[in-house]
């Protein structure tokens, strides 16, 4: 099982320049190799492999960039082509691998196990051919480190370590919960618990608006406008981090408390819903919540299941009868059996009950108790 540990690093001004230089050389190599593959194909219909391209690399001067970082760039090119060919083969409309602009290409990787090209010592991350950069490790890395990736996020830098952990044995499922994700309430559980959307995010709302207003007042192309852009990016990063932090806490609670956690399959759900900007932000949060919960559950030997979202709000969780439920109705009142409960609570119970393991026919492995 793979797990990623990410930490902020604090390069000095000089190190910052070196990091940007490495990034820029990597991007150049990426775009050059993409170009070579294109030309080779157009001119003689031959494909270039990773090994073809790696063999040529020694003839080009990459200005002191660590060789294995460069090899990893070629691997990335290779992977993007393999993904492209796979999509073509599957008949999907597929984008040809793209040239990477300055703002898109934002990371490079030491592709070898810990100790080869990088190591942490005395609060510093030692990077071969770059230097020792101060690192803030808020928690220890567990497991065997396989690679180290250096990422840029605006004017900040991060190091993420990909770690191999032994597979965890699956727990027997004793506790199960259904989770309905929503806009007014982030998540409602089938036991009736409600997890609010984080209030901390509201306070950023006015800050974002103000920063946008300030930006629109600055002259295009002026240095003040560029400064304001950095301010705005910083606020967005804070919002993103605050949201992520909250989702980490929420997913931790779910993964610790339940062996099996059932969500709606958002991919199916989103096909039938139209998209607004506000919704897409929620979508991102929901996907992240499911994603975080999935790996935390796996890590603890539990499991996340996804079910078809059809009619989860309209169906009565007691007698299965279906009635129309406009969004404005916050309470479910069943005309057939008289059940009354919160709209999202009802949906969460349906979600929980909907999960049927493949080999169990109509039976659910857990009691249908709420
Ligand atoms: Zn009913």
């Amino acid at each position: 099982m793979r797990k990623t540990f990410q930490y902020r690093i604090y390069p000095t001004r000089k190190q910052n320049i070196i990091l940007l230089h490495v990034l820029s050389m990597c991007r150049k190599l990426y775009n050059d190799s993409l170009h070579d593959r294109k030309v080779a194909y157009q001119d003689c219909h031959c494909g270039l492999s990773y090994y073809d391209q790696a063999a040529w690399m020694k003839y080009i001067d990459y200005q002191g960039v660590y060789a294995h970082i460069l090899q990893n760039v070629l691997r990335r090119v290779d992977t993007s082509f393999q993904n492209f060919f796979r999509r073509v083969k599957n008949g999907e409309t597929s984008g040809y691998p793209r040239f990477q602009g300055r703002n898109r290409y934002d990371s490079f990787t030491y592709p070898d196990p810990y100790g080869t090209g990088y190591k942490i010592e005395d609060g510093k991350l030692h990077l071969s051919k770059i230097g020792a950069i101060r690192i803030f490790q808020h928690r220890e890395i567990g497991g065997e480190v396989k690679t180290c990736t250096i990422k840029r996020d605006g004017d900040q830098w991060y190091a993420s370590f990909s770690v191999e952990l032994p597979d965890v044995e699956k727990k027997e499922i004793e506790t199960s919960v259904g989770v309905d994700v929503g806009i007014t309430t982030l998540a409602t559980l089938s036991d009736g618990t409600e997890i609010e959307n984080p209030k901390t995010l509201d306070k950023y709302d006015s800050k974002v608006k103000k920063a946008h207003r300030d930006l629109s007042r600055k002259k295009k192309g002026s240095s003040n406008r560029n400064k304001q852009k950095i301010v705005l990016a910083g606020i967005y990063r804070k919002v993103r981090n605050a949201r992520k932090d909250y989702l980490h806490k929420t997913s931790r609670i779910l993964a610790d408390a339940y062996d099996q956690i059932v969500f709606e399959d958002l991919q199916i759900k989103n096909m039938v819903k139209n998209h607004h900007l506000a919704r897409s932000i929620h979508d991102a949060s929901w996907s992240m919540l499911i994603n975080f919960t999935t790996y935390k559950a796996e890590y603890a030997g539990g499991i996340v299941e996804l079910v078809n979202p059809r009619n989860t709000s309209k169906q009565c969780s007691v007698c299965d009868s279906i009635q129309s439920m406009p969004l404005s109705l916050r309470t479910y009142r069943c005309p057939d059996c008289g059940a009354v409960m919160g709209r999202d609570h009802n949906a969460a119970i349906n979600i929980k009950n909907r999960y049927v393991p493949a080999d169990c026919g109509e039976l659910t492995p857990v009691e249908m108790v709420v």
Side-chain angles (χ1 to χ4, degrees):
M1 185 167 63
R2 280 284 177 125
K3 194 174 165 153
T4 305
F5 291 83
Q6 182 166 286
Y7 309 102
R8 174 125 183 236
I9 55 174
Y10 299 84
T12 61
R13 194 181 287 231
K14 203 172 152 196
Q15 286 169 337
N16 192 56
I17 294 170
I18 302 176
L19 290 174
L20 288 173
H21 169 72
V22 173
L23 210 50
S24 142
M25 294 312 285
C26 288
R27 187 171 72 92
K28 183 177 180 322
L29 175 62
Y30 188 97
N31 287 340
D32 286 352
S33 344
L34 202 67
H35 173 81
D36 288 349
R37 287 199 180 213
K38 235 176 176 166
V39 170
Y41 187 74
Q42 280 162 1
D43 289 0
C44 65
H45 281 274
C46 51
L48 295 178
S49 71
Y50 164 80
Y51 296 99
D52 294 330
Q53 298 200 301
W56 294 340
M57 224 172 55
K58 60 182 171 226
Y59 301 111
I60 307 164
D61 179 16
Y62 281 98
Q63 299 176 25
V65 178
Y66 187 63
H68 292 196
I69 291 179
L70 298 172
Q71 286 166 7
N72 174 263
V73 173
L74 295 180
R75 287 278 179 214
R76 291 185 187 192
V77 175
D78 198 50
T79 309
S80 69
F81 269 89
Q82 279 171 15
N83 291 341
F84 167 67
F85 289 132
R86 196 198 55 235
R87 290 194 300 266
V88 171
K89 209 173 147 196
N90 293 342
E92 295 166 40
T93 46
S94 56
Y96 192 82
R98 288 209 277 173
F99 288 102
Q100 301 289 309
R102 206 174 290 277
N103 291 324
R104 274 181 64 92
Y105 204 91
D106 58 4
S107 73
F108 59 87
T109 299
Y110 286 84
D112 306 301
Y114 187 82
T116 325
Y118 63 96
K119 63 175 180 198
I120 300 172
E121 229 171 54
D122 302 328
K124 288 194 169 166
L125 173 62
H126 295 251
L127 297 175
S128 187
K129 304 228 176 181
I130 292 177
I133 302 176
R134 198 157 62 82
I135 184 168
F136 177 62
Q137 272 185 287
H138 52 288
R139 57 174 176 162
E140 284 294 306
I141 302 180
E144 203 183 323
V145 179
K146 294 294 191 186
T147 66
C148 167
T149 296
I150 307 298
K151 277 187 208 163
R152 188 189 60 172
D153 179 354
D155 56 352
Q156 298 186 352
W157 292 88
Y158 294 85
S160 20
F161 301 91
S162 176
V163 168
E164 183 67 38
L165 294 167
D167 284 334
V168 178
E169 212 175 300
K170 284 265 165 278
K171 278 194 275 195
E172 200 148 320
I173 295 168
E174 286 172 355
T175 50
S176 175
V177 72
V179 184
D180 181 61
V181 292
I183 292 176
T184 34
T185 310
L186 171 67
T188 305
L189 311 188
S190 51
D191 65 7
T193 309
E194 292 184 351
I195 301 170
E196 292 302 318
N197 263 310
K199 290 276 178 290
T200 47
L201 292 180
D202 295 344
K203 77 173 183 213
Y204 288 112
D205 249 16
S206 55
K207 280 191 181 174
V208 169
K209 276 185 195 135
K210 183 178 178 305
H212 267 293
R213 254 196 331 269
D214 289 352
L215 182 68
S216 64
R217 287 203 201 102
K218 311 273 189 236
K219 214 185 256 166
K220 275 196 178 146
S222 69
S223 70
N224 275 337
R225 192 178 163 91
N226 284 335
K227 271 184 210 156
Q228 185 58 26
K229 273 186 185 165
I230 293 171
V231 170
L232 188 61
I235 296 173
Y236 273 122
R237 180 169 50 223
K238 278 200 182 116
V239 175
R240 214 164 51 233
N241 286 344
R243 180 177 292 124
K244 238 182 173 173
D245 199 50
Y246 188 77
L247 294 171
H248 269 304
K249 281 179 188 139
T250 308
S251 55
R252 166 59 54 217
I253 293 170
L254 291 173
D256 282 349
Y258 301 97
D259 305 331
Q260 182 186 56
I261 302 134
V262 188
F263 289 97
E264 289 176 303
D265 190 336
L266 293 178
Q267 274 183 333
I268 303 178
K269 194 177 175 119
N270 289 341
M271 283 199 295
V272 287
K273 292 258 166 74
N274 54 347
H275 269 261
H276 301 290
L277 180 65
R279 259 199 74 96
S280 71
I281 294 169
H282 286 292
D283 278 350
S285 289
W286 299 333
S287 311
M288 215 181 258
L289 178 65
I290 295 176
N291 192 340
F292 289 173
T293 311
T294 302
Y295 80 73
K296 286 191 174 81
E298 266 171 23
Y299 192 49
I303 193 159
V304 164
E305 304 284 0
L306 303 177
V307 296
N308 192 328
R310 189 159 194 265
N311 287 343
T312 45
S313 305
K314 294 179 186 163
Q315 187 178 335
C316 171
S317 60
V318 178
C319 74
D320 287 351
S321 80
I322 294 201
Q323 61 163 322
S324 118
M325 280 292 289
L327 265 175
S328 55
L329 280 185
R330 300 312 303 163
T331 305
Y332 192 97
R333 291 175 207 278
C334 179
D336 291 333
C337 74
V340 177
M341 66 184 96
R343 174 200 179 89
D344 298 339
H345 184 194
N346 179 61
I349 299 171
N350 284 330
I351 291 167
K352 177 186 173 185
N353 291 345
R354 197 159 285 193
Y355 175 70
V356 180
D359 54 355
C360 279
E362 288 297 317
L363 297 169
T364 47
V366 283
E367 285 178 89
M368 312 254 287
V369 191
V370 188

